Amino acid sequence: MSDIDFVGLLSFVPAILRVTTPILLAALGVLISDRAGVLNIGVEGMMLSGAFAGVVASAATGSAAAGLVAAIIVGGMLGAVLAGAVHILKADLILSGIALNIAAAAGTTLLLFLMTGDKGMSGSLASQVLPKITIPVIADVPVLGTLLSGHHILTYVAFLAVPGVGIFLTRTPLGLRLRAVGESPESAAIAGINVVRVQVMALIVSGAFAGTGGAFLSMGYVSWFSQDMSAGRGFIALAAEVMGHGSASGTMFASLLLGAAEAIAVALQGRGLPSELMQTVPYIVPVIALVVYARRRQRLLARA
Amino acid sequence: MIRSALASFVITAVLLVVVVGIVLVPIAMHMPDPLAVLDMFVFGPFRNPRHTGNIIEMATPGMMCGLAVAIMLRAGMFNLGVEGAFFLGGLATVATVLLVPLPGWAMAPVGLAVGAVVGSSVCAVPGLLRARYDASELVSSLMLNFAALFIGLFIVNYFLRDPTAGAMVSYKIPNDARLPRLVAGTRIHLGTIIAVAGCLLGAVYLFMTRAGFESRIVGLNPAFAAHLGLPIRWILLRSQLIGGLIAAGAGGIEMLGLYQRFSWQGLPGNGWTGVVVAILARDNPILLIPAALFLSYLQVGGDLISRNFDVPNEAVGLIQALVLLVVTSSAIMRNPRLLRLVSGRKAAANKTPGPKVAEGSAA
Amino acid sequence: MTNAPLVAFAGISKTYGNGTLALDDVSFSIAGGVIHAICGENGAGKSTLMKILFGLEQPSSGSVLLDGKEVAITSPRVAAEQGIGMVHQHFSLVPSLSVTENIVLGQEPRRGAFIDRAAARQRVVDLAQRYNLLVDPDAVVRTLSVAAQQKVEILKALSRDVRVLILDEPTAVLTPPETDELFERLHDLRAVGLTILFISHKLREVRALASHVTVLRAGRLVGDVPLDSVEDDAIARLVMGQAERPKLKRGGRVSGAATVTLSGVSLAARDAADRLHDLDLAIHAGEILGVAGVDGSGQRGLVSVLTGRIQPSAGGIAYDGHSIAGLGTAALRQRGLAHLPADRFHDGGSKRMSLVENAIAGAHRLAAFSSGPFLKRRAMEARTVQMIERYNVRAPGPRAPLSALSGGNAQKLIAAREFATEPRFLIADQPTRGIDVAAAAFLHERLSELAEKGCAILLITADLDELLALSDRIVVLYAGRIVARMENGPDLTPERLGPSMLGLESAA
């Protein structure tokens, strides 16, 4: 009896990691933008655009890698566009992000139609899929194998990026300057740092991460793009970043929590619970977590 | 002051034309007859009374969602739950009308009331969380939009679904509940009057009532509000309750005014349009009316060219996004040179020499 | 040590976008290797001139010369390259970063792609020892005391190889022993060849520190002399000008019962400027009680507890003998509290709202201005026009936005609003800071009038002349405690207050 439960739980882990991947990638991007003081609300649109770009590029070239590169570039470019809106047009950060989301939803559907004549799905495009990775020796180890091997390449990228982003923020000169810019732009300017340039770069990187997350959606386990396929995951990534207390590891745990919530919801759907109600879970859990975080912060401030 | 307001209105109008051109002209050039496309987009909506009516009936949810956003923004709250409130309000209204036994004359009022209250929770809950725990209403409202969507779909699927109909839609809405049509040959319904009245009432609320005044103080300068001893948390919460009720009511009105069955399978997008309308109207409730009409005029034009020329109407979405961006750009809208150019004045260089102490910026 | 002019200002003028003339044709030079003081009242232009030297502002005309050559200092980075460093009045540190991170920010020592933490730390330790400014390199800046933060600021400036160090009112936030230590360090720095520019309005410090002083008044240069050639009152006259100030001596009036009493009030706070320790104070009806004290001595905390924004951590406050524990600002205003806040455009009004809205806000729920849920706009406007006339507010009209008014006129309108409630207790916090002489005089008269009607007034001000002209009694606040209490009288001078303000005497 207990063996079966254990095995069941174990096979659950890859599912959680799979669902967490796009959220984590996007959330890391949001983290970088947030620490630089330019919270990227447009992450949803950037994910969607990355998903679309990946499908189109990989279909055109026959190469999955090309699709991934396209997704990253498109995401980065949209990050630059958002930065331009804020610094050149002096538009409001949040409203520009919203504008970008609206434009991405409309633009991807429009382009999809122009390319395939179909608004719903890119079925006619022969887009590629990015591979899964099996680690040779470890894969055969009983428990460890399931935990560590056989995941999608972008899943590995996402989780390896966590310490990467963390080290970047805390131990590199650019990371230090980025944090200074986000917390106290006047002090950073006085120290001779070009605040605008740092923020533009942060948004470009943020967009690149979001684009990668989008590539996972359309080239990870499926090989198509469908209208609005990001389905709010960008916003969930926003929630994860807020829950993450501003650190890369915090963001990772928050993303895992939200990924687990979604994975559990999917599993429970299979067991007969109404699918729609289960689909609310990934959106309600972040709200609850947000409240817990806010309460804790309130209590800390009150004590000071 | 009037001259500068007029100047900024003129700049806005010119920019809107430019924005529309930027998106539409390249698309039209792709088509065999670009001029016909442009002609249909710009003038088509006025050639047929049914289409002109479309402009008005499509502006209705825009006006109300815009009003909801404007009221919340005036209090300084970035609550984006309008989208979910609209959806849930529509759903709850239909559910009430279908499930609760009511006499014919009561169906619409009761349905709309229940719909407004239930749907407002999508805006009210983030408001409560902000008031009590200081949690970001931006993120929580974005999440609750989707939660509302799935709860709504659940209710449709399990309680309202008509098995005889092909797709996942509800039973037919009883005729008694539906809002009366106003103009023959169009689909303009009572809801439009309610929406326009709502905008006027919104202006009265913001500028002529005590509550609206307090809301504006909190939105413009919370430190001043604290100095006066205003109950800030309650004022913020109140603005979000009101916004939620309006947005949810808008959803109910849209359902009872235009639909035979509840058929939304996803978030309909009126909430985001409401944001664009509100920003275009500079949060001024009276300007919401022309702003919503303008945006729905674009929508109708887009639908026309999509039906007649096979141009996807997503182009309108792009235009909306650009409009939002341009209007919120203070580099453009507050550009002193541009303002002077339009209002035809030169800025006077003020020198205030002498014993007066330099204020604020110096020393 | 060369005494050739190191820094020179040639015809510097600066007009801000809103038309304010901050500097008017200022020219003087500063020799190398000296401590040179720049003196003047609030608003004289001292900070603006230094910001131009540091690249935070650009002159509208005129130029800056370094070593005789004209240099365009377009940003702090350029200033740093030229060897100019600045220690700011409101520090430019990043609170959540460590001392080391703050100091090396922008010039981080590297090891490959990473910051060389050991080298950075060593750099800070070396700097600290070299200049005798001891700080903990690993401490997070937010946790440091104000004096320690200032040391970090100075080290940050010094770390960039400066020849000229600018300090803007550095002692405003220091205690006397900390001030002495700072002065010793500054003398040490001068001895190793640094040129120090010291902005201050405190004559005693200027004497103790500098060898040369330049005086600015209302944006113009009015004096530029070596200190050993001139007496204190000569400098004072240069700073204040010859204008007659209306002496409104009150002093020694008989007042009534205590309207507001504080008993053993303490306030714990993260920021030292808010802390209070065991205050016992009574403010009587009809009296003006003046509070003197160096910036950051607890005035902010005092205002917070008296306006109900924060509850005291210990002790109690009573209005007419009834405790106000747990009551917030709204309830206190109903009991007769009024407040002229120090930051008038931030707390006292809303710049984008009209004069009518600013004038009636707070009273808008009264029957005179509202009926049911609606506002009586005509009544509001009529009353505002009355207030504008009575308080001599120069304004385009009642519907103009508050931002259209000058500081003095805005303050008059705000005062009109607060006084209109016929308060029983008024807190006037820096009521005439940065406003023109005529408006200031007008407000002084209104305050006096209000006191005569029986209002208890608490006057908090950095302007000692104002304090002495208006107060019946004076208390001195230092580090959150009352260290001196005295009756105001004709023989009371700023010099008498000085020692207790600086914590040198304690006669509470």
Side-chain angles (χ1 to χ4, degrees):
Chain A
M1 257 302 133
S2 51
D3 288 320
I4 302 176
D5 284 342
F6 182 58
V7 169
L9 244 119
L10 199 55
S11 67
F12 206 43
V13 170
I16 295 183
L17 294 179
R18 186 180 71 229
V19 172
T20 304
T21 301
I23 299 176
L24 178 56
L25 284 168
L28 285 174
V30 174
L31 176 66
I32 291 181
S33 71
D34 192 17
R35 290 309 294 265
V38 274
L39 185 66
N40 182 2
I41 302 279
V43 55
E44 174 82 7
M46 292 177 195
M47 272 183 102
L48 189 62
S49 309
F52 181 72
V55 159
V56 167
S58 67
T61 62
S63 145
L68 178 59
V69 168
I72 295 177
I73 292 182
V74 164
M77 274 175 19
L78 288 177
V81 166
L82 187 57
V86 170
H87 283 296
I88 302 179
L89 291 181
K90 308 269 190 257
D92 177 84
L93 177 66
I94 297 183
L95 291 174
S96 306
I98 295 179
L100 198 143
N101 291 337
I102 297 178
T108 51
T109 308
L110 182 66
L111 286 172
L112 182 63
F113 176 76
L114 288 176
M115 288 184 188
T116 67
D118 182 355
K119 275 196 202 176
M121 218 182 85
S122 72
S124 55
L125 289 178
S127 61
Q128 310 295 318
V129 172
L130 290 164
K132 289 198 247 187
I133 297 193
T134 336
I135 308 178
V137 173
I138 299 188
D140 301 319
V141 175
V143 170
L144 231 51
T146 329
L147 281 177
L148 292 180
S149 168
H151 302 302
H152 193 269
I153 185 175
L154 286 181
T155 306
Y156 289 107
V157 167
F159 283 92
L160 287 174
V162 172
V165 171
I167 292 179
F168 166 74
L169 284 175
T170 54
R171 287 186 194 259
T172 64
L174 184 54
L176 178 66
R177 295 181 194 189
L178 190 142
R179 285 186 290 140
V181 163
E183 185 176 341
S184 178
E186 312 83 28
S187 304
I190 289 179
I193 297 174
N194 188 332
V195 169
V196 171
R197 201 187 317 162
V198 169
Q199 289 186 330
V200 168
M201 268 179 11
L203 280 173
I204 292 179
V205 170
S206 180
F209 267 101
T212 311
F216 180 80
L217 292 179
S218 67
M219 296 170 60
Y221 287 85
V222 303
S223 65
W224 35 259
F225 172 85
S226 69
Q227 195 181 27
D228 289 328
M229 83 184 303
S230 50
R233 285 197 189 77
F235 296 134
I236 296 186
L238 266 173
E241 193 269 343
V242 170
M243 285 159 58
H245 292 251
S247 76
S249 51
T251 306
M252 178 183 79
F253 286 120
S255 305
L256 274 170
L257 176 64
L258 298 184
E262 187 174 331
I264 292 177
V266 169
L268 288 176
Q269 275 181 49
R271 304 238 173 158
L273 287 176
S275 69
E276 296 87 354
L277 280 187
M278 291 304 102
Q279 280 180 293
T280 65
V281 170
Y283 301 101
I284 298 204
V285 168
V287 176
I288 298 178
L290 215 75
V291 171
V292 169
Y293 166 66
R295 275 184 93 183
R296 209 184 308 159
R297 195 173 43 143
Q298 252 186 350
R299 272 193 228 127
L300 271 170
L301 282 176
R303 238 185 284 143
Chain B
M1 230 175 97
I2 305 245
R3 277 186 94 175
S4 69
L6 210 56
S8 108
F9 176 73
V10 168
I11 296 180
T12 311
V14 168
L15 280 168
L16 289 176
V17 172
V18 169
V19 163
V20 172
I22 289 181
V23 175
L24 213 50
V25 169
I27 294 184
M29 299 301 255
H30 267 100
M31 300 289 134
D33 191 356
L35 281 179
V37 172
L38 290 174
D39 173 83
M40 169 129 285
F41 183 86
V42 175
F43 298 111
F46 298 116
R47 294 209 180 102
N48 183 331
R50 189 157 55 93
H51 295 140
T52 318
N54 284 146
I55 299 181
I56 298 181
E57 100 227 0
M58 285 176 88
T60 308
M63 279 186 239
M64 292 198 71
C65 287
L67 181 64
V69 172
I71 288 183
M72 293 194 287
L73 270 182
R74 282 268 181 176
M77 289 280 100
F78 254 118
N79 185 325
L80 297 173
V82 187
E83 183 75 6
F86 184 83
F87 176 87
L88 200 58
L91 171 76
T93 301
V94 172
T96 308
V97 161
L98 286 177
L99 297 176
V100 177
L102 288 165
W105 55 267
M107 280 188 177
V110 172
L112 286 175
V114 172
V117 170
V118 170
S120 71
S121 59
V122 183
C123 287
V125 168
L128 251 161
L129 296 181
R130 158 65 81 179
R132 282 206 58 195
Y133 305 114
D134 225 2
S136 158
E137 76 280 4
L138 179 65
V139 177
S140 56
S141 60
L142 284 174
M143 294 291 101
L144 286 180
N145 280 340
F146 289 98
L149 169 66
F150 290 115
I151 292 178
L153 290 178
F154 168 70
I155 295 181
V156 172
N157 216 358
Y158 281 76
F159 298 105
L160 304 177
R161 182 155 175 200
D162 186 347
T164 65
M168 190 174 86
V169 294
S170 73
Y171 289 100
K172 278 187 80 170
I173 300 175
N175 279 332
D176 284 336
R178 305 190 55 207
L179 297 177
R181 294 278 158 88
L182 296 177
V183 180
T186 71
R187 298 203 300 164
I188 302 178
H189 56 91
L190 186 62
T192 306
I193 310 255
I194 301 179
V196 171
C199 288
L200 296 174
L201 281 175
V204 166
Y205 168 75
L206 278 180
F207 296 105
M208 299 206 229
T209 65
R210 309 187 297 199
F213 181 38
E214 289 167 1
S215 245
R216 283 186 297 124
I217 296 179
V218 170
L220 278 175
N221 195 344
F224 182 37
H227 165 85
L228 294 173
L230 293 180
I232 296 182
R233 282 174 192 252
W234 161 236
I235 292 175
L236 291 177
L237 183 57
R238 181 174 64 195
S239 74
Q240 293 174 96
L241 277 171
I242 295 178
L245 284 170
I246 295 176
I253 289 177
E254 182 80 349
M255 266 294 137
L256 294 185
L258 290 180
Y259 286 78
Q260 307 250 10
R261 305 169 185 270
F262 183 88
S263 54
W264 291 335
Q265 310 245 339
L267 291 174
N270 294 85
W272 300 117
T273 312
V275 172
V276 182
V277 170
I279 302 297
L280 186 56
R282 311 292 177 79
D283 299 333
N284 183 332
I286 309 261
L287 290 182
L288 288 170
I289 301 174
L293 284 169
F294 176 70
L295 283 177
S296 71
Y297 157 67
L298 293 178
Q299 191 85 46
V300 173
D303 280 339
L304 278 174
I305 59 175
S306 114
R307 252 181 288 156
N308 290 308
F309 292 101
D310 229 12
V311 175
N313 56 7
E314 270 71 19
V316 179
L318 285 176
I319 295 180
Q320 271 189 15
L322 258 171
V323 166
L324 180 57
L325 195 59
V326 159
V327 173
T328 186
S329 151
S330 43
I332 299 181
M333 300 309 293
R334 302 232 177 114
N335 190 317
R337 262 184 282 157
L338 207 51
L339 283 170
R340 260 183 275 140
L341 188 69
V342 176
S343 70
R345 296 179 162 175
K346 285 223 179 102
N350 285 337
K351 232 186 175 201
T352 45
K356 286 207 173 173
V357 180
E359 166 61 21
S361 36
Chain C
M1 215 156 315
T2 164
N3 276 346
L6 180 58
V7 179
F9 295 101
I12 297 278
S13 296
K14 173 74 183 175
T15 308
Y16 280 107
N18 60 10
T20 322
L21 180 68
L23 291 169
D24 194 359
D25 200 27
V26 173
S27 304
F28 67 98
S29 66
I30 300 161
V34 299
I35 300 185
H36 189 122
I38 318 258
C39 257
E41 280 196 302
N42 263 352
K46 325 184 280 292
S47 278
T48 308
L49 189 64
M50 293 301 105
K51 284 186 192 166
I52 289 177
L53 184 59
F54 188 58
L56 282 172
E57 300 268 7
Q58 303 304 312
S60 311
S61 61
S63 53
V64 175
L65 294 97
L66 295 175
D67 284 326
K69 272 180 291 174
E70 191 172 317
V71 187
I73 307 178
T74 48
S75 74
R77 181 169 240 168
V78 173
E81 283 163 20
Q82 295 295 330
I84 300 174
M86 183 161 174
V87 175
H88 301 80
Q89 202 176 14
H90 306 289
F91 302 140
S92 66
L93 301 174
V94 183
S96 74
L97 298 182
S98 73
V99 168
T100 302
E101 288 174 327
N102 264 287
I103 293 179
V104 301
L105 184 65
Q107 282 188 342
E108 307 86 355
R110 299 179 192 213
R111 194 169 47 162
F114 302 108
I115 299 177
D116 188 344
R117 287 189 159 181
R121 198 174 185 284
Q122 192 58 47
R123 195 195 284 182
V124 171
V125 168
D126 288 341
L127 261 177
Q129 283 181 344
R130 183 163 143 209
Y131 293 110
N132 205 0
L133 285 161
L134 302 174
V135 286
D136 175 5
D138 304 311
V140 172
V141 161
R142 184 180 28 218
T143 62
L144 294 178
S145 74
V146 167
Q149 284 188 11
Q150 194 184 61
K151 285 190 196 159
V152 177
E153 266 276 323
I154 297 176
L155 280 176
K156 197 169 93 148
L158 292 172
S159 76
R160 278 153 167 80
D161 229 359
V162 295
R163 325 184 263 166
V164 178
L165 184 65
I166 309 171
L167 293 112
D168 192 348
E169 308 267 12
T171 61
V173 294
L174 296 181
T175 65
E178 290 166 345
T179 304
D180 290 334
E181 195 195 337
L182 176 66
F183 285 8
E184 271 174 54
R185 299 286 83 74
L186 291 178
H187 278 300
D188 291 342
L189 288 173
R190 186 198 57 83
V192 294
L194 231 62
T195 304
I196 298 182
L197 291 180
F198 180 74
I199 302 178
S200 175
H201 62 267
K202 300 181 185 170
L203 294 186
R204 169 193 318 241
E205 293 175 357
V206 168
R207 275 260 174 234
L209 202 53
S211 57
H212 205 101
V213 66
T214 301
V215 182
L216 294 177
R217 189 170 77 235
R220 293 203 182 89
L221 182 83
V222 294
D224 181 28
V225 290
L227 268 165
D228 49 17
S229 75
V230 74
E231 295 286 321
D232 273 352
D233 36 291
I235 305 180
R237 249 178 285 135
L238 283 175
V239 171
M240 308 297 201
Q242 305 285 21
E244 269 305 306
R245 266 145 26 87
K247 285 281 186 191
L248 193 71
K249 275 292 188 182
R250 283 175 49 87
R253 283 195 203 202
V254 181
S255 27
T259 303
V260 177
T261 8
L262 291 90
S263 321
V265 169
S266 297
L267 182 63
R270 210 143 61 131
D271 202 333
D274 295 326
R275 289 189 207 136
L276 299 172
H277 299 283
D278 204 27
L279 286 189
D280 287 307
L281 191 61
I283 308 157
H284 300 89
E287 85 167 326
I288 297 184
L289 179 64
V291 176
V294 164
D295 231 356
S297 298
Q299 296 94 328
R300 226 167 55 185
L302 185 60
V303 172
S304 298
V305 295
L306 283 174
T307 55
R309 219 172 49 84
I310 305 182
Q311 296 301 313
S313 331
I317 306 178
Y319 277 29
D320 294 323
H322 300 296
S323 164
I324 62 166
L327 294 184
T329 309
L332 292 180
R333 286 184 83 99
Q334 274 194 341
R335 281 172 175 67
L337 168 73
H339 177 202
L340 281 179
D343 196 342
R344 65 189 72 107
F345 281 113
H346 185 257
D347 302 305
S350 182
K351 281 170 106 149
R352 284 165 57 180
M353 286 188 147
S354 69
L355 297 186
V356 176
E357 291 171 324
N358 271 289
I360 311 291
H364 59 283
R365 289 201 164 241
L366 294 176
F369 302 116
S370 68
S371 93
F374 295 100
L375 296 170
K376 293 186 190 165
R377 297 198 75 101
R378 241 176 302 162
M380 285 166 65
E381 194 162 317
R383 172 66 80 88
T384 306
V385 169
Q386 260 182 12
M387 285 159 118
I388 290 178
E389 274 166 35
R390 192 140 31 106
Y391 277 70
N392 220 345
V393 177
R394 283 235 290 259
R399 301 207 190 156
L402 189 66
S403 55
L405 260 51
S406 75
N409 285 306
Q411 183 73 322
K412 282 194 275 186
L413 187 73
I414 293 172
R417 176 189 72 223
E418 297 290 321
F419 294 6
T421 63
E422 298 198 5
R424 306 193 49 243
F425 175 43
L426 172 75
I427 302 174
D429 196 350
Q430 318 295 342
T432 60
R433 176 190 280 169
I435 72 177
D436 58 281
V437 177
F442 184 89
L443 281 171
H444 285 175
E445 275 172 46
R446 296 282 82 73
L447 281 170
S448 204
E449 210 173 72
L450 201 62
E452 268 165 49
K453 288 202 207 145
C455 179
I457 300 184
L458 186 69
L459 175 67
I460 303 176
T461 176
D463 181 347
L464 290 182
D465 287 305
E466 175 175 61
L467 191 75
L468 291 171
L470 287 178
S471 315
D472 298 313
R473 287 191 302 138
I474 295 177
V475 297
V476 180
L477 208 57
Y478 180 77
R481 288 192 171 80
I482 296 181
V483 295
R485 300 168 196 265
M486 53 198 88
E487 293 286 327
N488 194 3
D491 50 334
L492 197 55
T493 59
E495 282 68 43
R496 284 275 308 279
L497 293 173
S500 33
M501 282 174 66
L502 296 177
L504 297 175
E505 288 172 5
S506 189

